[in-house]
Amino acid sequence: MPADRGVSRWRLRNWRLRSKLAVVLLVPALSTLTLAGLRLNTQLDDVELFGQIQRELQLSAQAAAVSDALQLERDAAVWFVAGGRRDNAAELVARSSKVDAEVGRLRDVAASTTGIDEAVRESFQKSLQSLDGLNALRNTVTTTRYPDISVHSAYGQVLAALAQVHRATASSLSDETITPLAEANLALYSAKEQLSQQNSILLSTAERGEFAPGQVNALRAAQSRLDAALTDFANTASQENRQLLADTVSGSSVDGRNRLVQLALVQQADAGKVSISDADVMRVGEETAALLRSVSEDIEQQVDRAAVDLTEAARASAWRDAALVAVALVIAFALMAFVARSMLTPLRVLRRTALDVARNRLPDAIKRIRTHRDPARAAEEALVPVPINTTEEVGQVARAFDAVQREAVRLAVEQVALRANVNDMFINLSRRSQALVERQITVIDRLEQDEQDPDQLASLFELDHLATQMRRNSENLLVLSGTTVNRRVTRPVPISEVLGAAVSEVEKYARIQIAPAPELKIQGRVVNDLAHLIAELLDNATAFSKPTTKVTVRAIETRRGEVSIRIHDRGVGMQEQDVIEANTKLADPPEVDVSVAREMGLYVVGQLAKRHDIRVTLTNNDDIEGGVTAQVVLPVGLLHRGPEPVQAQPAPPALPPRQANPELEDSGVGVLAGVPKWTPEIAPGGFQPLDATPAPFPQVVHTHDAEPGGYFEVEQTSTSDLFTPTVTETVPPRDDELPDYSYPPATRQPEPVVVEEDDASTQRLPIYEDVLSRWFQGGEAEAAVRGELGGDRPAERPA
């Protein structure tokens, strides 16, 4: 079923080899692509991760800048509050403005930063909320009596929120290069904050002249946290950064700050009073903080460069790996294409060669073997090996196909030999049968000449007609064997005589009506085959139509000068597909096989038509009567339009006038006595169908026409001549008589022909003429003969 075929097409076993190879090679390619995709995805994730680290570090660095500015503002605010809010107000305002500027930059960076860690984002949001309270804190500092210790603590809370951003950023990192730098910088941020807290405590103490309650412990705790932060830095930072810190954070400012811290603690312990300069504390403290800030910024730059380098490295690695994967795939597919081509090309060559052998070479080779004089040599020349010389499986299949080709050619040679033997058998049987039939016809002719009894004469006529059919069947065997008939006509013959000869070989000749044919002649080399061809068509027309119907034959000349012979029966007709198949076989006859025995007439007609380029076609009749029309078109080259060659002939002696038969003249059937049985002239060396002795009296064959208008009469004067036609004058039928093809009686009888004979008893007798005319009239003549002779036994009528 079509659905099954559609489903089976998707089965693996029905896939083309190219598709199977593609699947086999596509599996590792897809695996490679999958793994490469995963690798590229990881590298692209690294690129995105390093980009995120850059954004987080930028955010942390900006938060550090805000912390630096805010630490300076805290120093100014504590100094301002501890001094009784009298001095340094301008310094506080200036530093507050700087803090606002840095906070604005922080907000801008945050707005343009996306795709950061959620912990970093949360800590950043909290730092912004703390920064939002700066204005309130500043207002409290300047307008209330808020103590300096509380101011220090309030600013410390905001700075702690900013420090949380640094810690969240450092904890979100996991790269072995960036993480140590970020942790070292986080330690510096913490150290700087502890240093700033000490500066704020010392400023408050310098203004007060003593430590506020709890500030000594706060100073010592800040110093401890500072030392711890520096220790963390030393543990996490590289040797270069440790050296950088040692080289940078040193000098008089650092030493001076350390002395002030120690001095304040010593004075507090000794006298409870502290006398240090607030200006010195501000100066050396902020200078030391600036040194730490410079180291921190340097490390920030290192972190940023590392993140950029890692991002570029990851991006470059992704591109490199993608390129490597692409190159690997290109190489893999190139190798796949090369291997597939090395496999598919021989297969295509094998397939193309096999199809060429099956469709072209082998049929051509068989044709050459059949027509060649030496079939074995033709078979050797036909063998062309498959042009594949490999030793793998495809090459082995090619060699196997060569063996199959050799076997097929060998079988063709054997078939040709067998066909030749069968043809020889056909020819031998046909020749033997023809010889016996011709002898039989000679004996029957002699008996007809000597017979006086009308019943016996009628039986002899029937035997004579059956013998003629047997001769045609023997000639069919010759056509099947591809051999031409030896009987040949040496001069042109009128078309009417050829039609008459064809009718004489049909069993049911009495049902055939032939209209007058054009006054054209057929070349002698075609006469026998054309008569045979038309006889086969007539025999088929009478066999497949009702016994009560007529088969009409018309011969007309077309505008192109060809002759068209149309045989029309009134049978059951044919199916359209059968008509198409029959016309195909007529145009191109098939090889002789078992099926030819069932359609021998069709095959014989096709072979005879092909031999002389005659076109034969069958069509169904569309009229009421139905049936089939067979059209035989004779090309111009088969017609003879020149003068007939003149041959010297002795004038035959005249016979006594033949007695007219009134019953025949009134019967309406234009069958005339004296029409010779068609006996073609035999070329020298040909097969002699009849004996050479002259007939004792002219013999008769009744012939029919295809155009309404009458019958023709042909007389044979001697066996050495072919035909000397004498056409009777006829009266054209009326219009209302055309459909039934009934013909008026002849208006005059032809002159009798006298043939020289040694015995006077062989002259035509009145009873012979009477019986002969009645025989060819059919059943009515039969009844007349029985009534006239008074016999009870009916004469035999041809079937």
Side-chain angles (χ1 to χ4, degrees), residues 9 89 93 100-101 153 191 215 221 245 256 296 298 372 433 460 471 498 566 630 707 735:
R9 181 179 58 185
V93 172
D100 292 340
S153 178
Q215 293 299 303
L245 179 63
S296 177
D298 188 272
H372 203 276
S433 298
L460 290 174
R471 181 175 63 187
V498 176
R566 297 179 181 176
E707 296 287 348
D735 294 338

mmCIF file of all heavy atoms in Angstrom, residues 9 89 93 100-101 153 191 215 221 245 256 296 298 372 433 460 471 498 566 630 707 735:
data_model
loop_
_atom_site.group_PDB
_atom_site.id
_atom_site.type_symbol
_atom_site.label_atom_id
_atom_site.label_comp_id
_atom_site.label_asym_id
_atom_site.label_seq_id
_atom_site.Cartn_x
_atom_site.Cartn_y
_atom_site.Cartn_z
ATOM 1 N N ARG A 9 9.908 4.322 4.094
ATOM 2 C CA ARG A 9 10.966 5.196 3.620
ATOM 3 C C ARG A 9 11.779 5.763 4.770
ATOM 4 O O ARG A 9 12.965 6.086 4.613
ATOM 5 C CB ARG A 9 10.343 6.334 2.805
ATOM 6 C CG ARG A 9 11.346 7.316 2.234
ATOM 7 C CD ARG A 9 10.631 8.388 1.434
ATOM 8 N NE ARG A 9 9.675 9.090 2.269
ATOM 9 C CZ ARG A 9 8.832 10.008 1.811
ATOM 10 N NH1 ARG A 9 8.812 10.305 0.541
ATOM 11 N NH2 ARG A 9 7.990 10.623 2.635
ATOM 12 N N ALA A 89 34.461 75.955 60.969
ATOM 13 C CA ALA A 89 33.165 75.710 60.314
ATOM 14 C C ALA A 89 33.326 75.649 58.792
ATOM 15 O O ALA A 89 32.700 74.825 58.107
ATOM 16 C CB ALA A 89 32.173 76.794 60.704
ATOM 17 N N VAL A 93 32.339 72.611 56.129
ATOM 18 C CA VAL A 93 31.459 72.766 54.953
ATOM 19 C C VAL A 93 32.167 72.285 53.697
ATOM 20 O O VAL A 93 31.588 71.615 52.834
ATOM 21 C CB VAL A 93 31.008 74.228 54.829
ATOM 22 C CG1 VAL A 93 30.265 74.442 53.529
ATOM 23 C CG2 VAL A 93 30.148 74.627 56.019
ATOM 24 N N ASP A 100 29.584 64.990 49.404
ATOM 25 C CA ASP A 100 28.390 64.953 48.547
ATOM 26 C C ASP A 100 28.759 64.644 47.103
ATOM 27 O O ASP A 100 28.038 63.903 46.400
ATOM 28 C CB ASP A 100 27.656 66.284 48.639
ATOM 29 C CG ASP A 100 27.027 66.497 50.022
ATOM 30 O OD1 ASP A 100 26.851 65.481 50.726
ATOM 31 O OD2 ASP A 100 26.742 67.654 50.376
ATOM 32 N N ALA A 101 29.881 65.240 46.649
ATOM 33 C CA ALA A 101 30.312 64.965 45.281
ATOM 34 C C ALA A 101 30.653 63.490 45.086
ATOM 35 O O ALA A 101 30.267 62.844 44.088
ATOM 36 C CB ALA A 101 31.503 65.851 44.932
ATOM 37 N N SER A 153 30.773 58.666 66.820
ATOM 38 C CA SER A 153 30.067 57.391 66.718
ATOM 39 C C SER A 153 29.089 57.367 65.540
ATOM 40 O O SER A 153 28.963 56.360 64.838
ATOM 41 C CB SER A 153 29.324 57.120 68.017
ATOM 42 O OG SER A 153 28.587 55.928 67.937
ATOM 43 N N ALA A 191 42.341 49.059 57.984
ATOM 44 C CA ALA A 191 43.455 49.766 58.663
ATOM 45 C C ALA A 191 43.278 51.268 58.553
ATOM 46 O O ALA A 191 43.503 52.023 59.522
ATOM 47 C CB ALA A 191 44.786 49.335 58.058
ATOM 48 N N GLN A 215 37.473 56.901 75.964
ATOM 49 C CA GLN A 215 38.183 57.134 74.722
ATOM 50 C C GLN A 215 39.582 56.525 74.748
ATOM 51 O O GLN A 215 40.138 56.218 73.681
ATOM 52 C CB GLN A 215 38.272 58.631 74.453
ATOM 53 C CG GLN A 215 36.924 59.263 74.178
ATOM 54 C CD GLN A 215 36.280 58.655 72.930
ATOM 55 O OE1 GLN A 215 36.888 58.684 71.865
ATOM 56 N NE2 GLN A 215 35.085 58.108 73.087
ATOM 57 N N ALA A 221 41.890 50.170 71.413
ATOM 58 C CA ALA A 221 41.205 49.169 70.590
ATOM 59 C C ALA A 221 41.409 49.455 69.110
ATOM 60 O O ALA A 221 41.615 48.539 68.302
ATOM 61 C CB ALA A 221 39.720 49.149 70.921
ATOM 62 N N LEU A 245 53.641 48.687 50.656
ATOM 63 C CA LEU A 245 53.103 49.293 51.875
ATOM 64 C C LEU A 245 54.239 49.778 52.775
ATOM 65 O O LEU A 245 54.171 50.893 53.335
ATOM 66 C CB LEU A 245 52.240 48.283 52.626
ATOM 67 C CG LEU A 245 51.625 48.767 53.941
ATOM 68 C CD1 LEU A 245 50.655 49.923 53.688
ATOM 69 C CD2 LEU A 245 50.932 47.628 54.664
ATOM 70 N N GLY A 256 55.439 60.738 63.409
ATOM 71 C CA GLY A 256 54.836 61.782 64.232
ATOM 72 C C GLY A 256 53.479 61.350 64.758
ATOM 73 O O GLY A 256 53.122 61.621 65.907
ATOM 74 N N SER A 296 46.193 51.696 48.835
ATOM 75 C CA SER A 296 44.918 51.064 48.519
ATOM 76 C C SER A 296 44.515 51.322 47.069
ATOM 77 O O SER A 296 44.034 50.421 46.361
ATOM 78 C CB SER A 296 43.837 51.579 49.462
ATOM 79 O OG SER A 296 42.582 51.043 49.129
ATOM 80 N N ASP A 298 46.524 51.909 44.621
ATOM 81 C CA ASP A 298 47.408 51.123 43.767
ATOM 82 C C ASP A 298 46.917 49.683 43.661
ATOM 83 O O ASP A 298 46.915 49.076 42.565
ATOM 84 C CB ASP A 298 48.829 51.188 44.319
ATOM 85 C CG ASP A 298 49.826 50.559 43.362
ATOM 86 O OD1 ASP A 298 50.033 49.334 43.467
ATOM 87 O OD2 ASP A 298 50.366 51.269 42.482
ATOM 88 N N HIS A 372 24.523 -10.344 -35.325
ATOM 89 C CA HIS A 372 25.903 -10.560 -35.735
ATOM 90 C C HIS A 372 26.059 -11.960 -36.331
ATOM 91 O O HIS A 372 25.374 -12.907 -35.936
ATOM 92 C CB HIS A 372 26.840 -10.383 -34.534
ATOM 93 C CG HIS A 372 28.245 -10.050 -34.909
ATOM 94 N ND1 HIS A 372 29.168 -11.007 -35.250
ATOM 95 C CD2 HIS A 372 28.890 -8.860 -35.004
ATOM 96 C CE1 HIS A 372 30.318 -10.445 -35.537
ATOM 97 N NE2 HIS A 372 30.175 -9.133 -35.397
ATOM 98 N N SER A 433 5.294 -27.673 -45.181
ATOM 99 C CA SER A 433 3.845 -27.480 -45.286
ATOM 100 C C SER A 433 3.477 -26.791 -46.583
ATOM 101 O O SER A 433 2.492 -27.159 -47.241
ATOM 102 C CB SER A 433 3.338 -26.661 -44.100
ATOM 103 O OG SER A 433 3.582 -27.339 -42.883
ATOM 104 N N LEU A 460 -14.987 -29.283 -53.759
ATOM 105 C CA LEU A 460 -13.611 -29.020 -54.204
ATOM 106 C C LEU A 460 -13.262 -27.546 -54.039
ATOM 107 O O LEU A 460 -12.129 -27.188 -53.677
ATOM 108 C CB LEU A 460 -13.437 -29.460 -55.657
ATOM 109 C CG LEU A 460 -13.464 -30.968 -55.904
ATOM 110 C CD1 LEU A 460 -13.418 -31.261 -57.396
ATOM 111 C CD2 LEU A 460 -12.293 -31.641 -55.197
ATOM 112 N N ARG A 471 -1.910 -22.313 -46.637
ATOM 113 C CA ARG A 471 -0.686 -21.701 -47.160
ATOM 114 C C ARG A 471 -0.380 -20.395 -46.432
ATOM 115 O O ARG A 471 0.777 -20.104 -46.096
ATOM 116 C CB ARG A 471 -0.833 -21.443 -48.660
ATOM 117 C CG ARG A 471 0.416 -20.830 -49.305
ATOM 118 C CD ARG A 471 0.273 -20.704 -50.795
ATOM 119 N NE ARG A 471 -0.816 -19.795 -51.141
ATOM 120 C CZ ARG A 471 -1.258 -19.608 -52.385
ATOM 121 N NH1 ARG A 471 -0.739 -20.284 -53.401
ATOM 122 N NH2 ARG A 471 -2.249 -18.765 -52.620
ATOM 123 N N VAL A 498 -4.846 -6.921 -55.504
ATOM 124 C CA VAL A 498 -4.255 -7.271 -54.218
ATOM 125 C C VAL A 498 -5.348 -7.504 -53.172
ATOM 126 O O VAL A 498 -5.282 -8.465 -52.391
ATOM 127 C CB VAL A 498 -3.285 -6.174 -53.763
ATOM 128 C CG1 VAL A 498 -2.733 -6.494 -52.381
ATOM 129 C CG2 VAL A 498 -2.145 -6.014 -54.754
ATOM 130 N N ARG A 566 -9.124 0.927 -45.615
ATOM 131 C CA ARG A 566 -9.861 0.868 -44.360
ATOM 132 C C ARG A 566 -10.753 -0.359 -44.339
ATOM 133 O O ARG A 566 -11.565 -0.548 -45.238
ATOM 134 C CB ARG A 566 -10.697 2.130 -44.160
ATOM 135 C CG ARG A 566 -9.846 3.385 -44.055
ATOM 136 C CD ARG A 566 -10.709 4.610 -43.883
ATOM 137 N NE ARG A 566 -9.889 5.805 -43.809
ATOM 138 C CZ ARG A 566 -10.370 7.047 -43.730
ATOM 139 N NH1 ARG A 566 -11.688 7.219 -43.719
ATOM 140 N NH2 ARG A 566 -9.555 8.078 -43.677
ATOM 141 N N ALA A 630 -9.780 -0.957 -39.115
ATOM 142 C CA ALA A 630 -8.336 -1.098 -39.298
ATOM 143 C C ALA A 630 -7.934 -0.289 -40.522
ATOM 144 O O ALA A 630 -8.476 -0.483 -41.610
ATOM 145 C CB ALA A 630 -7.953 -2.561 -39.471
ATOM 146 N N GLU A 707 -15.641 0.829 -51.691
ATOM 147 C CA GLU A 707 -16.455 1.977 -52.065
ATOM 148 C C GLU A 707 -17.665 1.455 -52.838
ATOM 149 O O GLU A 707 -17.512 0.608 -53.720
ATOM 150 C CB GLU A 707 -15.660 2.959 -52.926
ATOM 151 C CG GLU A 707 -14.481 3.590 -52.210
ATOM 152 C CD GLU A 707 -14.944 4.594 -51.199
ATOM 153 O OE1 GLU A 707 -16.125 4.948 -51.232
ATOM 154 O OE2 GLU A 707 -14.124 5.006 -50.361
ATOM 155 N N ASP A 735 -28.452 6.927 -53.051
ATOM 156 C CA ASP A 735 -28.002 7.368 -51.727
ATOM 157 C C ASP A 735 -28.601 6.519 -50.621
ATOM 158 O O ASP A 735 -27.948 6.276 -49.594
ATOM 159 C CB ASP A 735 -28.367 8.841 -51.496
ATOM 160 C CG ASP A 735 -27.580 9.728 -52.453
ATOM 161 O OD1 ASP A 735 -26.522 9.261 -52.936
ATOM 162 O OD2 ASP A 735 -28.025 10.869 -52.683
#
